[in-house]
Amino acid sequence: EGRQFVAAPAGLAVLPLDGTQGIRFGREITFAAANCPELVIGVEIGSDRSLPIPPSTELAMHGATVIVNPASDVALVGSAERRRLMMQSQSARLHCAYISASAGRSESTQDTVGCGHCLVAENGTILLEKSDESGLLITDIDVQRLMADRQRANFAVRLGLEAAVGFSLPLAETKLDRYVDPQPFIPAEPIREARCEEILDIQVSGLCKRLDHTNTKSVVIGISGGLDSTLTLLVAARTFDRLGLDRKGIQAITMPGYGTTNRTRSNAHRLAEELGATLREIPIGEAVAVHFRDIGLPEGDHSVTFENAQARERTQVLMDVANMCGGMVIGTGDLSELALGWATYNGDHMSMYDVNGGVPKTLMRHIVRHYANTADSAALRQTLIDILDTPVSPELLPPTEGDISQKTEELVGPYELHDFFLYYVIRWGFAPSKIYRLAQQAWGNVYDGVTILKWLKTFYRRFFSQQFKRSCLSDGPKVGSVGISPRGDWQMPSDATASLWLNELEAL
């Protein structure tokens, strides 16, 4: 307001004041919390936020993670939505929190009415909002999350230490106001179907390019009647349609072994037939039995050797069939299994292209359900629904009275918890104690603290010890914000140890 104020000087000025060494004054001053290094506050005044390069941009570049804006915005038709979009956008661009408090309707009504529009945005999300209501808006801001996002985005901060005013706030344990989504990989209901279709398109596009690049007209997929291989086969069918290839070029191979049940076997057959793929059944029992005799594995020994030999035999079959038909083995392993190392090295861990490597298990269910909901064939839809209802299992141990005896989630823990842990470990890089607290907030009505802590420890132990499997992953498309390819997002030494992380959990 040029009629009342003089613009702040460029750079930093020190104004003398009796009894002090002077007060720092300027447009790029930030306020840094001495006892919370991630909390740095910058102040932007009113409609300055509408400038082509608003002061908040420079403040963020000088380290501000929280922008506060005292304003005197007026109530005009449509103005609230414009402010909302502006603050969402700015907080997303700057990976910061944006707090705005505007004058209320009781302040003046001579020519305009104050809107009283107050809101808190964090990294593109409105956390809390009100218009001309009495009282305070109180919510929590996760400044560690903001800093983690800046690091991932290579957000270059020009720290102007001379312009930082230090302050201190008391630190205290508080109850979290924010909603913590228990399934962070699952899109919200209004956009879920569209998002599932988008993910399918990414998978199909990746496989299209690989087949076109290698001039490959045939693919080989090991199908088990389980969730992972089902999605791989669905992606392959769409890929062949997009490329104008006959689906008979999809070699869907079922390889029953010691743990195969009638339910999964029949579902695998029906799925391949409904999709028009070439179905082949190649039992592995006899070949594995010969191998057991060759290596001296005692009869009745159901150790890890018994299990992994079957997985490796299946991979050998797939690779050799691919050589015979000039095809390519398409992998089925998903993001959650790869994070936990729940894959046999040089077995199901290996393929020529893995379309599921970027898809977590919890999200995979929704993609397959979306495919079922949009399928033209009632038989295909029924088969997919039954596959969704089948317990997750590698089926490497003999069945119990015809039913699956080896249930993955009883051995390594619930995938819904592990996917939650995976999201906050990889996407945000949070400390174990913080992830534990968030998990209690999100899952406290389903699992008690002891159970959450048990599986969180399991996650860290497996995630660190199994990195060697991820260091040589097959190619495959990333579909979301989390990826563990050693050629992309996740560059971690195979010999990294989980001790520091587990020690922090032991201290809880």
Side-chain angles (χ1 to χ4, degrees), residues 269-301:
H269 280 238
R270 284 200 299 269
L271 182 64
E273 291 165 357
E274 285 296 322
L275 292 174
T278 298
L279 174 66
R280 293 186 62 183
E281 180 168 289
I282 305 176
I284 64 167
E286 184 177 343
V288 174
V290 171
H291 178 64
F292 289 157
R293 290 197 297 271
D294 289 343
I295 66 173
L297 185 72
E299 188 173 347
D301 184 331

Side-chain angles (χ1 to χ4, degrees), residues 63-134:
T65 53
V66 177
I67 303 296
V68 297
N69 184 316
S72 56
D73 297 317
V74 299
L76 298 174
V77 174
S79 61
E81 179 61 21
R82 183 173 181 273
R83 280 190 298 272
R84 186 181 299 114
L85 291 174
M86 189 181 302
M87 295 172 199
Q88 278 185 277
S89 173
Q90 190 70 341
S91 68
R93 288 179 58 251
L94 301 179
H95 306 284
C96 72
Y98 199 106
I99 303 172
S100 179
S102 186
R105 297 184 180 181
S106 62
E107 306 232 8
S108 174
T109 59
Q110 181 177 353
D111 292 310
T112 59
V113 174
C115 67
H117 192 189
C118 302
L119 63 79
V120 180
E122 181 189 273
N123 205 8
T125 301
I126 302 294
L127 298 182
L128 212 56
E129 181 178 14
K130 77 177 182 70
S131 293
D132 202 43
E133 296 175 4
S134 60

Side-chain angles (χ1 to χ4, degrees), residues 154-194:
N154 292 320
F155 189 91
V157 173
R158 302 192 299 268
L159 290 177
L161 296 179
E162 74 286 348
V165 177
F167 72 98
S168 182
L169 286 175
L171 301 180
E173 187 80 10
T174 62
K175 181 180 182 300
L176 294 179
D177 292 317
R178 68 177 56 214
Y179 170 72
V180 180
D181 191 344
Q183 296 191 319
F185 287 115
I186 310 304
E189 188 62 47
I191 63 170
R192 186 175 300 163
E193 295 297 312

Side-chain angles (χ1 to χ4, degrees), residues 123-360:
N123 205 8
T125 301
I126 302 294
L127 298 182
L128 212 56
E129 181 178 14
K130 77 177 182 70
S131 293
D132 202 43
E133 296 175 4
S134 60
L136 296 173
L137 281 181
I138 299 177
T139 188
D140 44 70
I141 292 172
D142 194 338
V143 287
Q144 291 179 341
R145 181 181 180 127
L146 296 171
M147 288 298 293
D149 213 32
R150 285 185 174 185
Q151 290 173 349
R152 286 177 59 89
N154 292 320
F155 189 91
V157 173
R158 302 192 299 268
L159 290 177
L161 296 179
E162 74 286 348
V165 177
F167 72 98
S168 182
L169 286 175
L171 301 180
E173 187 80 10
T174 62
K175 181 180 182 300
L176 294 179
D177 292 317
R178 68 177 56 214
Y179 170 72
V180 180
D181 191 344
Q183 296 191 319
F185 287 115
I186 310 304
E189 188 62 47
I191 63 170
R192 186 175 300 163
E193 295 297 312
R195 191 62 55 83
C196 287
E197 190 64 32
E198 184 180 2
I199 292 168
L200 279 168
D201 181 67
I202 293 172
Q203 293 177 281
V204 169
S205 297
L207 184 55
C208 277
K209 176 60 180 176
R210 181 53 56 92
L211 296 182
D212 181 64
H213 178 71
T214 56
N215 195 29
T216 301
K217 310 298 183 185
S218 178
V219 296
V220 178
I221 302 170
I223 58 171
S224 64
L227 195 60
D228 291 358
S229 62
T230 293
L231 181 56
T232 299
L233 190 55
L234 295 174
V235 169
R238 282 202 175 188
T239 300
F240 270 57
D241 292 346
R242 184 178 294 184
L243 292 173
L245 299 175
D246 188 344
R247 288 188 182 184
K248 290 298 181 184
I250 303 173
Q251 301 272 340
I253 302 180
T254 177
M255 295 165 282
Y258 299 114
T260 304
T261 61
N262 290 332
R263 180 181 185 181
T264 54
R265 184 178 181 180
S266 61
N267 277 340
H269 280 238
R270 284 200 299 269
L271 182 64
E273 291 165 357
E274 285 296 322
L275 292 174
T278 298
L279 174 66
R280 293 186 62 183
E281 180 168 289
I282 305 176
I284 64 167
E286 184 177 343
V288 174
V290 171
H291 178 64
F292 289 157
R293 290 197 297 271
D294 289 343
I295 66 173
L297 185 72
E299 188 173 347
D301 184 331
H302 291 169
S303 63
V304 67
T305 304
F306 176 85
E307 296 183 40
N308 286 349
Q310 296 174 69
R312 293 193 179 101
E313 176 62 25
R314 286 177 171 135
T315 300
Q316 176 176 263
V317 169
L318 296 175
M319 292 288 182
D320 291 343
V321 170
N323 288 157
M324 292 174 64
C325 67
M328 180 177 291
V329 177
I330 308 303
T332 62
D334 63 66
L335 179 65
S336 307
E337 291 180 343
L338 294 171
L340 293 168
W342 192 250
T344 299
Y345 195 90
N346 204 34
D348 53 306
H349 151 264
M350 187 50 58
S351 66
M352 297 171 181
Y353 195 77
D354 185 359
V355 296
N356 292 341
V359 184

Side-chain angles (χ1 to χ4, degrees), residues 474-494:
S474 307
D475 289 353
K478 178 183 176 183
V479 303
S481 61
V482 173
I484 53 175
S485 168
R487 298 169 295 276
D489 299 50
W490 196 247
Q491 299 180 22
M492 171 182 175
S494 294

